Amino acid sequence: MATGEKRKYKVIGTRPLRHDGVDKLTGRAQYGADIRLTGMLHGVVLRSPHAHAKIKSIDTSAAAALPGVRAICTSADFPDQVGRIVELGEGAVNMRHLSANVMAHDKALYKGHAVAAVAADSIHIAEEAAKLIKIDYEPLPPVMEVLGAMRDDAPLLNDDVRMTEMGTVKPETKPSNVAAKFLFTKGDVTAGFAKADIIIEREFRTATVHQGYIEPHNATVLWNADGKVTVWMSTQGTFTARQQTAELVGIAVSDVKVVPMEIGGGFGGKISVYLPPVAAILSRKSGKPVQIQMERAAVFEATGPTPGSFMRVKVGATRDGKIVAGEAWIAFEAGAFPGSPIAPGCMCVFSCYDIPDARVEGYDVCVNKPRSNAYRAPGSTQVAFAMETVVDEICEKLGVDAAEFRIKNGAKEGTRRVDGPVYHRIGMIETVEAIRDSEHYQSKLTGPNRGRGIATGFWFNAGLKSAVVATVNLDGTVSLIEGSTDIGGSRTGIAMQLAETLGIAAEAVKPQVADTDSIGYTDVTGGSRVTFATGIAAVEAAKEIQKQMVERAALLWEVDSASVKYEDGKVIGPAEKSFSFAELAAKIHEVGGAVIGHGTSSSAEQGGAFGTHCVDVEVDPDTGKVQILRYTIAQDAGTAIHPSYVEGQMQGGVVQGIGWALNEEYFYDDKGVMRNATFLDYRIPTCYDVPMIETIIVEVPDPAHPYGVRGVGEVPICPPPAAIANAIHAAVGVRMRDLPMSPPKVCAAVMQKK
Amino acid sequence: MSKKRVVSATINGNTTEFLCEPRQTLLEVLRNVLNMTGTKEGCTNGNCGSCTVLLNGRPVTSCLVLAVEADGASVRTIEGVACGSHLDPVQQCFLEGAALQCGICTPGFIMQTEALLEQNGHPTEADVRFHLAGNLCRCTGYDKIVRSVLAAAEFKRGEATT
Amino acid sequence: MPTVYIPPALRDLTGGVETVEGKGQTVRAVLVDLEPRYPGLTAKLCIDDALRPGLMVAVSGTMSRQGLRTPVPANAEVHFLPALGGG
């Protein structure tokens, strides 16, 4: 339940039914793979069987001769890209690398790397044709692990990659797998550690894990005879998908229209494009619309996982429990091309604490795995696992309560982060207090091999750009068009903010997500930004409607508009004149045309989000299996717009974090081939693996939003691995520093301790 | 390519004839031949449960059933759950319980729940979790799904006694 | 006067100094003021009269999308940071 004494709002904080609910419950909602176009062909992408290989030649003649095959493409069909750096809404991308990821140029850099594609009358013909494409590979030794890839004698993936620091390359830097170095310092770390009574320094590893959305990537593209390209797809951001597609196939951005279909999960993995440029080329060559849907194995092998990592974290504290210094060395596996979330990883590792002296050094390193991509609070879960288990060990050694230690050292308004800026109003300490005071934390846990752990996590939350258009209908409803694709009910969250501002019911707003030709530029649904930033745009649009409604009322009453005001969903004039919103809506056409409100927002950053988790586990010492007995999450949501969907984000993030903690990992053999590219063997949690996830919504309003919203989507995934590791320690006395904490590893650790 | 076969099945109560190749799965035929795209494809190897339909009343992953196997059978899909313009109690409870986020797994969960509540009108939380363990959801953490299934069971019990 | 935090990787340009003071009401003006004292600083942070791709400026703890045009109040802190997105 949301905290707070008195209901401040009429709509915000209530739980209306989501507007797209019935469509999704009856199978009517149209997802990317559901679109059917006349004459549509089916495409298949042929992928490299090698983790690292030179592509010496590609012979497509036999495939082209198969009846029913309409087009074949390879990288030769794509325009050359110089190594231009393009801002793609969520970050800067090297276009040459993006192009080579969509279709391998001269080298295959990971098993599953796309090397050719076929479009045919049926999926089965396309599959048969793909098998007829002959590719002459020269296999090269792969490098699969971050520290190995950093060695001078490691196999080199990209000969155009040199280590950059602050965007520049030092002269005479040789090509290497190390693509970037980041360094953040605060104060004097040596002097800081000199003040410490206790110093804990530990090393950690985390495995490559996948976002694991249930809907595979898909794209349906028509390259029309007039040169205009339409893409129907499942994407977190239509505008970035449009820009990537246009750049990769070499046409103007305005010649591409991206139509957002419903999206079956993203978690950061549906921002980069994979299929639309390929389907576009196949459509151009065949003159027909082409649909490609990725197979599940390709989703694992060839779309962005989050990086595996190696981390060393050192923290010093005084005897009375005050952190005095911190130092971290972090290396992330970028995958085949540079671009891991190493920078946010570095910026998050100490972000929950007020640490006077700190130093963080991080490296972005290429390995023969798929190009990594954003995954829910990118980089933060890895570093939280390291930092929060070190903190737990300090608490253990000092004999202090883990919650009290976090309250004493927690970041708050005015705390300077290691990357420099000072926090505005944040709710880190409030989330720890909420856990400390919870019935769960206060309860006694009994029984053998059972233990309790807590951990805190942080995510920045992005702002970025959003646009909405809202039109008043004569029946008193409002049609709301937005550019933010809706992955988890955000349509309703945005509609509620518009409704609150107008003083109408959430049900009176009809939200709709529009294509790139029908709404202004909107950044991705990601970075926990939509309810915040698109919400701000909706509030702006509502204010514009208020203003116009006041003017219309003044015209109807034939009074000066200065004597009319909008209040509480009513328009009030002189001499006790008043209209309800619906009454006035019915009359607007008597004195003018449509009433349309526009809103845009472009904020760079919202207030940060924090969450603290508490978990009870039971460890089976004979098998190493860890059972989650009870789980409680407290998170600062700023202001919870729709509490059910805030809880949903919290619960979903926790369970993803439990999967990351206990089971999920890419298993590679010595040839660099992933051996568990199915949902059977890449084991995401089922409902049988987890209990109910208890939620405590903490509300410390963000001053940067009119209703105080903070994004809630990402931070819940950060604390679970550390909280569970700390609980395992409490249960059986072993410290796990290698994710996932799968049964064999836990079992071995318990045996070793015995 | 082998010759197409004529298959006759009762789909959502309607006798339906369709042509399919022997290698085509029931999922493929539902989606690509009959244009019933409510049944979702998540993995095509039976691991995610998104394509769950009821075949002669039993829940099956339709990606692992050949369409020719449906000859003479009764098939129920998500399109056949709501009665006219009224949601089925399971759907209604999922809607009220916020049991979906992206919604891609929802049709599979609804079908699996229909099967459960046919067999067991008084499921415990453990029963629900056991029965639904073959359906993956990556968004919700399952909490609200399990609660909604329990609510649907309760609602149906109430309906049965009135 | 605004305080500019020099990223650790660029402190060879400031003789190891972490913070410097620069005059100006925008980030661009502050950098123009700093350049004669710390030659090469602008070239490290900017390309084609804009912040390098992948960099962002934060003024008094708030990230800005306006780059070099970002207003800088008198006692503000200026940080140059990696641009961030999210999942």
Side-chain angles (χ1 to χ4, degrees):
Chain A
M1 279 299 120
T3 54
E5 330 62 61
K6 195 169 147 268
R7 278 279 304 285
K8 220 166 138 188
Y9 303 114
K10 283 191 170 152
V11 178
I12 288 170
T14 64
R15 302 177 189 237
L17 300 180
R18 62 190 279 170
H19 298 78
D20 54 335
V22 170
D23 280 348
K24 285 179 176 163
L25 285 156
T26 55
R28 288 205 183 283
Q30 292 273 297
Y31 290 76
D34 298 338
I35 186 150
R36 302 285 176 266
L37 300 174
T38 305
M40 188 173 85
L41 304 178
H42 296 270
V44 163
V45 176
L46 180 66
R47 298 177 180 280
S48 169
H50 303 290
H52 196 188
K54 264 189 199 147
I55 299 169
K56 292 165 77 180
S57 68
I58 301 179
D59 177 2
T60 59
S61 53
L66 189 74
V69 171
R70 303 294 170 188
I72 296 175
C73 85
T74 66
S75 67
D77 294 295
F78 288 85
D80 280 339
Q81 300 279 350
V82 286
R84 201 157 52 93
I85 310 293
V86 175
E87 289 284 353
L88 289 175
E90 260 233 329
V93 173
N94 176 316
M95 287 312 296
R96 187 171 178 277
H97 293 157
L98 188 64
S99 174
N101 192 49
V102 163
M103 195 59 79
H105 291 171
D106 48 350
K107 270 175 98 181
L109 293 174
Y110 51 93
K111 160 80 165 67
H113 198 159
V115 289
V118 184
D121 292 344
S122 82
I123 187 81
H124 302 289
I125 297 171
E127 281 167 353
E128 284 169 24
K131 285 183 198 144
L132 297 174
I133 296 175
K134 292 191 197 76
I135 301 183
D136 187 9
Y137 291 103
E138 180 190 326
L140 301 168
V143 55
M144 306 304 295
E145 180 273 328
V146 66
L147 295 184
M150 292 179 82
R151 291 165 53 120
D152 281 341
D153 60 352
L156 181 69
L157 275 79
N158 301 288
D159 57 16
D160 64 343
V161 169
R162 291 173 172 75
M163 190 180 87
T164 65
E165 220 176 330
M166 284 302 288
T168 56
V169 181
K170 291 208 172 92
E172 287 165 42
T173 306
K174 282 191 298 194
S176 74
N177 294 324
V178 181
K181 176 186 176 182
F182 291 89
L183 180 63
F184 300 94
T185 63
K186 180 185 169 192
D188 180 343
V189 78
T190 311
F193 278 112
K195 292 176 204 149
D197 298 312
I198 177 175
I199 296 175
I200 300 284
E201 181 175 11
R202 299 289 178 234
E203 290 181 353
F204 299 85
R205 286 170 193 274
T206 69
T208 304
V209 300
H210 198 271
Q211 294 86 347
Y213 31 79
I214 306 299
E215 178 203 36
H217 291 258
N218 56 68
T220 307
V221 181
L222 173 63
W223 191 308
N224 218 345
D226 59 5
K228 306 287 186 200
V229 173
T230 305
V231 181
W232 294 263
M233 72 182 294
S234 162
T235 175
Q236 287 178 245
T238 52
F239 286 87
T240 182
R242 177 178 75 160
Q243 192 185 349
Q244 291 178 66
T245 304
E247 299 262 7
L248 289 171
V249 303
I251 60 175
V253 165
S254 58
D255 283 340
V256 178
K257 174 167 90 172
V258 174
V259 183
M261 307 300 289
E262 296 296 345
I263 164 173
F267 314 111
K270 288 182 181 161
I271 296 172
S272 278
V273 300
Y274 301 94
L275 300 175
V278 177
I281 297 287
L282 290 169
S283 177
R284 191 188 70 203
K285 291 179 95 168
S286 64
K288 291 175 175 231
V290 174
Q291 181 169 83
I292 310 181
Q293 182 169 9
M294 236 184 238
E295 319 83 68
R296 176 54 55 182
V299 173
F300 280 118
E301 292 182 336
T303 72
T306 198
S309 67
F310 173 86
M311 301 171 284
R312 193 183 308 118
V313 169
K314 178 179 169 186
V315 176
T318 57
R319 210 167 285 112
D320 62 350
K322 191 79 190 136
I323 300 178
V324 289
E327 191 168 7
W329 190 98
I330 308 165
F332 277 3
E333 293 171 355
F337 300 100
S340 77
I342 183 65
C346 291
M347 293 157 81
C348 287
V349 62
F350 296 134
S351 56
C352 293
Y353 299 96
D354 186 356
I355 307 182
D357 298 293
R359 183 181 193 280
V360 184
E361 188 176 329
Y363 294 91
D364 185 35
V365 184
C366 296
V367 297
N368 291 108
K369 294 182 181 180
R371 173 178 177 260
S372 71
N373 259 297
Y375 178 25
R376 211 164 192 160
S380 188
T381 303
Q382 287 95 330
V383 298
F385 172 58
M387 177 61 182
E388 290 295 288
T389 48
V390 167
V391 164
D392 197 68
E393 204 171 333
I394 290 176
C395 294
E396 177 206 348
K397 298 258 156 69
L398 292 177
V400 298
D401 176 78
E404 296 299 347
F405 182 86
R406 283 174 172 81
I407 291 166
K408 185 167 185 174
N409 289 284
K412 51 185 172 293
E413 188 170 4
T415 298
R416 186 177 297 284
R417 300 199 310 248
V418 64
D419 51 309
V422 168
Y423 280 117
H424 300 304
R425 183 74 175 97
I426 51 171
M428 185 275 177
I429 288 171
E430 286 82 347
T431 67
V432 185
E433 287 170 342
I435 284 295
R436 180 198 59 191
D437 301 340
S438 67
E439 187 273 321
H440 181 177
Y441 194 71
Q442 296 292 333
S443 70
K444 206 167 151 57
L445 178 64
T446 54
N449 302 315
R450 291 180 165 194
R452 175 172 296 161
I454 70 166
T456 300
F458 163 78
W459 183 245
F460 292 93
N461 290 352
L464 304 175
K465 297 181 202 310
S466 290
V468 308
V469 174
T471 306
V472 177
N473 299 312
L474 296 185
D475 63 357
T477 62
V478 177
S479 301
L480 172 65
I481 299 175
E482 57 184 296
S484 292
T485 55
D486 178 358
I487 313 186
S490 61
R491 254 177 289 229
T492 302
I494 304 309
M496 288 171 73
Q497 295 179 59
L498 183 93
E500 180 74 42
T501 312
L502 288 177
I504 61 178
E507 293 78 9
V509 181
K510 302 196 298 175
Q512 181 193 334
V513 183
D515 65 62
T516 51
D517 281 355
S518 308
I519 186 71
Y521 181 86
T522 299
D523 277 305
V524 295
T525 296
S528 304
R529 61 171 290 277
V530 169
T531 306
F532 174 86
T534 309
I536 291 175
V539 171
E540 289 302 310
K543 285 182 180 162
E544 218 182 271
I545 287 176
Q546 284 186 0
K547 206 168 139 246
Q548 292 176 46
M549 293 296 265
V550 162
E551 284 161 7
R552 295 296 168 94
L555 287 171
L556 285 164
W557 289 325
E558 300 178 37
V559 300
D560 181 358
S561 65
S563 66
V564 183
K565 60 183 180 184
Y566 196 103
E567 206 176 271
D568 221 7
K570 286 196 179 72
V571 181
I572 297 165
E576 294 185 21
K577 290 177 194 297
S578 95
F579 281 128
S580 71
F581 186 84
E583 285 165 354
L584 180 54
K587 290 177 174 291
I588 55 177
H589 283 191
E590 293 176 24
V591 284
V595 170
I596 302 173
H598 301 82
T600 60
S601 68
S602 175
S603 56
E605 192 191 6
Q606 43 175 325
F610 292 84
T612 300
H613 299 199
C614 179
V615 60
D616 296 348
V617 304
E618 181 172 323
V619 180
D620 181 336
D622 296 327
T623 65
K625 185 178 189 300
V626 176
Q627 187 70 39
I628 308 289
L629 301 173
R630 186 172 180 190
Y631 205 111
T632 303
I633 164 176
Q635 186 178 320
D636 177 14
T639 299
I641 300 293
H642 192 310
S644 294
Y645 289 95
V646 172
E647 292 159 4
Q649 289 293 327
M650 290 160 71
Q651 292 160 337
V654 164
V655 171
Q656 278 188 323
I658 290 172
W660 194 338
L662 295 179
N663 289 302
E664 294 180 34
E665 68 181 302
Y666 277 41
F667 279 105
Y668 282 101
D669 66 16
D670 56 2
K671 292 192 169 63
V673 175
M674 185 185 181
R675 302 310 297 265
N676 62 329
T678 69
F679 270 139
L680 185 65
D681 299 316
Y682 182 93
R683 217 181 154 290
I684 74 172
T686 72
C687 59
Y688 200 58
D689 298 319
V690 292
M692 295 296 187
I693 309 298
E694 297 162 50
T695 56
I696 303 169
I697 299 175
V698 176
E699 295 186 304
V700 179
D702 181 357
H705 183 280
Y707 296 118
V709 167
R710 288 178 204 269
V712 297
E714 292 173 285
V715 75
I717 199 173
C718 304
I724 292 168
N726 296 342
I728 291 172
H729 176 262
V732 288
V734 298
R735 288 279 174 199
M736 302 302 297
R737 301 193 181 97
D738 190 348
L739 292 183
M741 299 174 284
S742 52
K745 284 190 215 160
V746 175
C747 194
V750 172
M751 300 283 257
Q752 203 182 2
K753 183 178 168 261
K754 278 179 184 164
Chain B
M1 210 190 318
S2 56
K3 236 176 112 182
K4 288 193 173 178
R5 312 291 166 92
V6 181
V7 175
S8 177
T10 305
I11 300 182
N12 297 329
N14 302 316
T15 307
T16 308
E17 283 201 339
F18 55 84
L19 279 173
C20 70
E21 291 176 41
R23 65 179 168 186
Q24 286 184 294
T25 63
L26 178 57
L27 173 65
E28 190 186 341
V29 165
L30 286 171
R31 291 182 52 83
N32 295 346
V33 178
L34 301 173
N35 271 326
M36 296 170 69
T37 56
T39 303
K40 300 303 179 194
E41 177 181 322
C43 71
T44 62
N45 46 22
N47 295 323
C48 78
S50 298
C51 65
T52 302
V53 301
L54 304 186
L55 185 67
N56 294 328
R58 279 181 47 226
V60 294
T61 44
S62 60
C63 69
L64 295 186
V65 175
L66 290 171
V68 291
E69 293 180 83
D71 196 26
S74 146
V75 179
R76 191 165 173 224
T77 72
I78 187 67
E79 286 92 348
V81 172
C83 179
S85 59
H86 293 285
L87 292 182
D88 170 270
V90 176
Q91 292 169 318
Q92 187 65 34
C93 289
F94 269 56
L95 180 61
E96 288 170 8
L100 61 151
Q101 283 178 33
C102 84
I104 197 84
C105 70
T106 307
F109 270 97
I110 301 275
M111 299 317 295
Q112 196 65 258
T113 303
E114 295 287 342
L116 167 67
L117 299 185
E118 276 299 308
Q119 299 162 23
N120 181 356
H122 293 77
T124 62
E125 181 190 333
D127 293 339
V128 172
R129 289 188 183 275
F130 183 77
H131 187 88
L132 296 180
N135 290 65
L136 299 179
C137 168
R138 192 61 157 170
C139 295
T140 64
Y142 303 105
D143 184 297
K144 293 186 192 306
I145 292 176
V146 173
R147 288 179 199 278
S148 298
V149 172
L150 292 168
E154 195 184 331
F155 181 89
K156 284 195 162 197
R157 290 196 296 271
E159 250 188 350
T161 56
T162 53
Chain C
M1 212 184 294
T3 304
V4 179
Y5 281 70
I6 305 297
L10 305 184
R11 283 184 202 155
D12 51 339
L13 298 173
T14 58
V17 174
E18 184 180 351
T19 60
V20 297
E21 295 201 332
K23 265 191 291 215
Q25 296 187 338
T26 64
V27 173
R28 181 187 280 105
V30 171
L31 285 177
V32 166
D33 182 58
L34 291 176
E35 184 64 23
R37 278 179 283 157
Y38 308 108
L41 182 63
T42 309
K44 290 280 188 184
L45 294 169
C46 306
I47 191 164
D48 299 335
D49 196 33
L51 282 180
R52 283 182 180 273
L55 270 189
M56 281 184 74
V57 63
V59 174
S60 295
T62 301
M63 292 268 213
S64 167
R65 286 271 146 191
Q66 297 175 59
L68 298 179
R69 294 182 197 91
T70 307
V72 180
N75 293 315
E77 289 182 357
V78 179
H79 290 92
F80 297 94
L81 299 170
L84 295 171

